[in-house]
Amino acid sequence: MTTTKTKGRIADLRAAVTAEQYGTCGIGHTRWATHGVPSESNAHPHQSHSGRFTLVHNGVIDNYRQLQATYLNGVNLKSDTDTEVVVQMMDVFAKDGLSTEEIFRAVLNELAGSYAFGLIDMQREGELFFAKNKSPLLIGVGNDAMMLASDAMAVIRQTDQFVEINDREMGVLTAESYHLFDGDTNEVVVRAPYTAAIDADDVEKGMYPHYMMKEMDEQPGVIRRIVQKYQAKDGSFTIDADLMAAINAADRLYIVACGTSYHAGLIGRKLIEEKAGIPVEVVVASEFGYDMPLLSAKPVFLFISQSGETADSRQVLVKIKQLGHTAITLTNVAGSTLSREASHTLLLHAGPEIAVASTKAYTAQVAVLSILAETLGKANGHTQTNDMVHELGIVANAMQTIIDEKEQIQQLVHDYVATTRNAFFLGRGVDYFVSLEAALKLKEISYIQAEGFSSGELKHGTIALIEDNTPVIALITQPHTQLQIRSNCSEVQSRGAHVATVVTESLAQPEDTFVIPNTALELTPLVSVVFTQLFAYYAALARDCDVDKPRNLAKSVTVE
Ligand code: G6P
């Protein structure tokens, strides 16, 4: 067996692998550093000192220091990782007469934390052992090969047949077969493959320079597809009756999410409260799980997650299920962990999103939330709502208009943020929520220190940061707050800020910087955000950043 490790991109690893290393059984992992810096010595796989066991691991072993103290006294470790502790324990636990499965299970029984493991034992040629707890892992069933992957998309060109692995299950693959066991009872688990509905062509970048540009461009089409998917034969929207009943039985809906999905949740709150009259709270998953507020009497939980795999969200899902509450998941990935473990799923139908910075998944989330809000509102008679099918059609066209004006946005980037240290986005209400997403997008991919502020709150502290030429981008789409935001703009302008205003057509003044088409007022976030996505994209380009794979980030964050 041979091992090759590199720091950096997969392309670097590919270049380092030689033809002599090609084989028929192997394991690999792109590490998102949790213990120890990104380096070759910390990169996976890790090998036990005897050379018998080699391991890759996604997850975090919480008790690795205690395990090291208990079992590896005097054992020299070659890396700073929790993973190496596990593989060295395999050597310690290996005794004559014990099978690989028995050694592996004995080690697994000692572990606290999350893991998706791929293990090779030199004494069992052509077999690949695996185990899963909390971190995602699937078996891919090919025509002439078996594989393991954290995500179906990673191997969709090889197969569309997958077998789910549940927490605390383990097993072994050969080229022709897979065997699954319950990790606790050792009983055989029989589970048939399912077909993943991912089009391999959707995973290609095609003529686009970056996935992010492709995915931004796809947004009008995604909105139209969502309308179609949620439309009943009579043309109105329809949502699973059980899911609707679950929400209608609740006295409060808790939206749980992280990052961009959290920002979509903020818009969702507004839509659901206004259209359906149901009180909504939006919470950050990583906080909520460990600092749970006093819940209402009959709460229902809506998890929003593009990937459906985010560990922070999942820990909340596990906790609220233990409390006996209902979970609904809004995700782009059918069959993902959060979807499987919730009672109901709403799908985004956005197609695979590859760029780390989420764009079409965000707008898909907001669109599906608007459909959910409208459908709930119509069913419970809260509002005489407008024709959302028609309104979303207008949104799709408005998005296209902005995409077609991308060169103008590129020019604005040049004028405002090409060399800046920081930038601020302002708004009130939904414009504030979009400001938060705008700032996150700019931070994620251009590394400009950016913040989104409610424009009224600016004067209570943040205005101290405004200096000559500080870029401030104000989003103005709501008639009832437009004058206030404009006043806040002139306050920062008086202190030297370089202000750009992004305004809907009906509110636009001659001096405004960029005009976006009118849409239904509650849907303006779907349009204004497209401006901010393109703005972030061109800022990243201007600064020569890796648009699709920004530093330190991962598409699917499966550790807490
Ligand atoms: C990571 C990504 C973000 C994303 C967040 C939530 O931090 O880098 O872009 O918004 O996870 O992901 P999810 O898949 O749960 O929507």
Side-chain angles (χ1 to χ4, degrees):
M1 186 172 66
T2 66
T3 302
T4 306
K5 304 183 185 194
T6 57
K7 184 183 160 202
R9 300 286 177 223
I10 292 173
D12 303 328
L13 181 69
R14 198 172 285 136
V17 173
T18 60
E20 294 79 61
Q21 288 178 288
Y22 289 180
T24 54
C25 181
I27 48 178
H29 176 56
T30 45
R31 171 174 178 260
W32 187 79
T34 57
H35 300 79
V37 297
S39 66
E40 277 188 30
S41 57
N42 286 333
H44 298 209
H46 292 284
Q47 197 166 56
S48 66
H49 281 307
S50 69
R52 177 176 167 186
F53 299 105
T54 306
L55 186 73
V56 290
H57 168 216
N58 178 28
V60 172
I61 304 303
D62 298 328
N63 60 340
Y64 81 107
R65 285 196 190 281
Q66 293 94 300
L67 293 173
Q68 186 183 353
T70 311
Y71 296 109
L72 301 179
N73 217 341
V75 176
N76 210 1
L77 295 183
K78 297 171 275 186
S79 75
D80 308 316
T81 64
D82 50 342
T83 308
E84 193 192 345
V85 168
V86 179
V87 79
Q88 300 298 3
M89 280 173 69
M90 293 289 297
D91 262 2
V92 173
F93 280 56
K95 302 249 161 36
D96 281 349
L98 286 186
S99 68
T100 316
E101 288 87 339
E102 285 165 328
I103 303 164
F104 198 18
R105 188 171 308 112
V107 171
L108 293 173
N109 281 338
E110 299 293 315
L111 308 182
S114 56
Y115 52 76
F117 285 127
L119 172 78
I120 287 178
D121 177 355
M122 291 301 282
Q123 296 181 5
R124 298 274 295 267
E125 208 178 309
E127 291 177 277
L128 191 52
F129 299 86
F130 59 88
K132 167 190 157 38
N133 189 42
K134 295 187 186 169
S135 302
L137 193 66
L138 292 168
I139 301 169
V141 181
N143 282 336
D144 49 6
M146 292 287 158
M147 54 211 104
L148 291 168
S150 301
D151 191 317
M153 212 145 60
V155 290
I156 197 70
R157 288 190 196 88
Q158 281 72 43
T159 183
D160 63 356
Q161 298 297 303
F162 292 92
V163 180
E164 288 168 3
I165 308 171
N166 291 336
D167 282 350
R168 303 199 58 78
E169 287 179 349
M170 57 185 297
V172 56
L173 304 184
T174 66
E176 303 84 25
S177 63
Y178 63 89
H179 303 277
L180 259 180
F181 307 96
D182 182 304
D184 296 317
T185 62
N186 198 26
E187 273 171 34
V188 172
V189 175
V190 180
R191 193 170 297 135
Y194 68 92
T195 306
I198 303 173
D199 186 342
D201 291 342
D202 279 352
V203 190
E204 302 295 337
K205 197 156 61 182
M207 302 296 282
Y208 286 92
H210 300 101
Y211 280 108
M212 187 180 172
M213 181 51 92
K214 173 176 182 256
E215 289 157 8
M216 289 189 294
D217 238 19
E218 284 170 352
Q219 292 180 107
V222 169
I223 299 295
R224 293 186 188 106
R225 190 187 318 150
I226 289 171
V227 168
Q228 254 177 18
K229 294 274 183 190
Y230 282 95
Q231 236 176 344
K233 282 207 179 81
D234 69 0
S236 66
F237 285 123
T238 173
I239 286 184
D240 176 63
D242 290 346
L243 189 158
M244 296 272 289
I247 298 182
N248 276 324
D251 61 355
R252 185 170 291 263
L253 185 68
Y254 289 83
I255 294 183
V256 184
C258 309
T260 292
S261 296
Y262 170 76
H263 294 152
L266 295 172
I267 314 270
R269 171 174 74 75
K270 192 106 187 99
L271 287 161
I272 294 169
E273 288 194 338
E274 275 182 9
K275 286 182 169 288
I278 299 167
V280 181
E281 243 174 77
V282 191
V283 295
V284 168
S286 56
E287 283 297 313
F288 188 83
Y290 297 95
D291 189 16
M292 210 178 275
L294 188 60
L295 298 178
S296 67
K298 289 185 285 176
V300 161
F301 289 78
L302 175 63
F303 293 84
I304 306 184
S305 173
Q306 179 279 128
S307 62
E309 299 296 347
T310 302
D312 286 327
S313 297
R314 192 194 175 210
Q315 56 90 12
V316 180
L317 193 146
V318 170
K319 284 175 187 155
I320 64 105
K321 275 178 71 181
Q322 279 163 358
L323 293 172
H325 301 310
T326 304
I328 301 166
T329 292
L330 173 59
T331 183
N332 204 22
V333 185
S336 58
T337 305
L338 286 170
S339 167
R340 289 203 309 268
E341 295 181 355
S343 323
H344 312 279
T345 297
L346 280 168
L347 282 178
L348 294 179
H349 302 291
E353 190 178 68
I354 313 278
V356 166
S358 180
T359 54
K360 65 174 178 173
Y362 170 90
T363 43
Q365 286 164 345
V366 174
V368 176
L369 286 165
S370 72
I371 291 171
L372 176 65
E374 159 120 339
T375 314
L376 285 166
K378 274 198 172 143
N380 69 15
H382 182 75
T383 41
Q384 288 300 315
T385 46
N386 49 19
D387 178 2
M388 187 69 86
V389 174
H390 177 66
E391 297 299 343
L392 284 171
I394 296 176
V395 163
N397 293 342
M399 285 173 151
Q400 191 60 56
T401 305
I402 296 187
I403 292 165
D404 292 343
E405 289 171 359
K406 49 167 102 83
E407 273 150 34
Q408 201 186 326
I409 299 172
Q410 185 167 21
Q411 183 58 44
L412 286 174
V413 163
H414 187 262
D415 298 345
Y416 280 80
V417 294
T419 57
T420 188
R421 185 172 58 88
N422 55 10
F424 298 105
F425 290 88
L426 303 186
R428 288 184 181 218
V430 289
D431 293 333
Y432 165 48
F433 302 148
V434 175
S435 295
L436 293 174
E437 174 56 13
L440 178 63
K441 208 73 357 185
L442 193 64
K443 279 187 274 207
E444 277 180 308
I445 60 170
S446 77
Y447 317 141
I448 295 171
Q449 192 177 2
E451 297 302 335
F453 284 108
S454 75
S455 67
E457 189 63 11
L458 195 74
K459 59 185 173 297
H460 299 299
T462 316
I463 202 163
L465 296 174
I466 301 293
E467 297 171 346
D468 264 353
N469 273 324
T470 304
V472 173
I473 296 110
L475 305 177
I476 307 176
T477 69
Q478 305 293 309
H480 71 295
T481 51
Q482 69 136 338
L483 294 179
Q484 286 75 12
I485 305 177
R486 287 189 188 280
S487 306
N488 301 137
C489 285
S490 71
E491 289 155 14
V492 289
Q493 212 152 16
S494 320
R495 288 158 179 84
H498 190 200
V499 177
T501 47
V502 179
V503 187
T504 38
E505 217 171 325
S506 54
L507 304 177
Q509 307 281 329
E511 64 276 14
D512 284 323
T513 317
F514 189 88
V515 177
I516 60 176
N518 289 332
T519 56
L521 283 181
E522 69 273 24
L523 299 180
T524 60
L526 286 168
V527 183
S528 59
V529 80
V530 177
F531 170 91
T532 68
Q533 294 166 347
L534 286 158
F535 193 85
Y537 174 84
Y538 285 117
L541 269 195
R543 290 170 171 244
D544 224 3
C545 299
D546 189 339
V547 172
D548 284 339
K549 296 195 205 85
R551 71 184 178 207
N552 302 345
L553 302 179
K555 184 67 188 159
S556 165
V557 180
T558 53
V559 290
E560 278 189 48

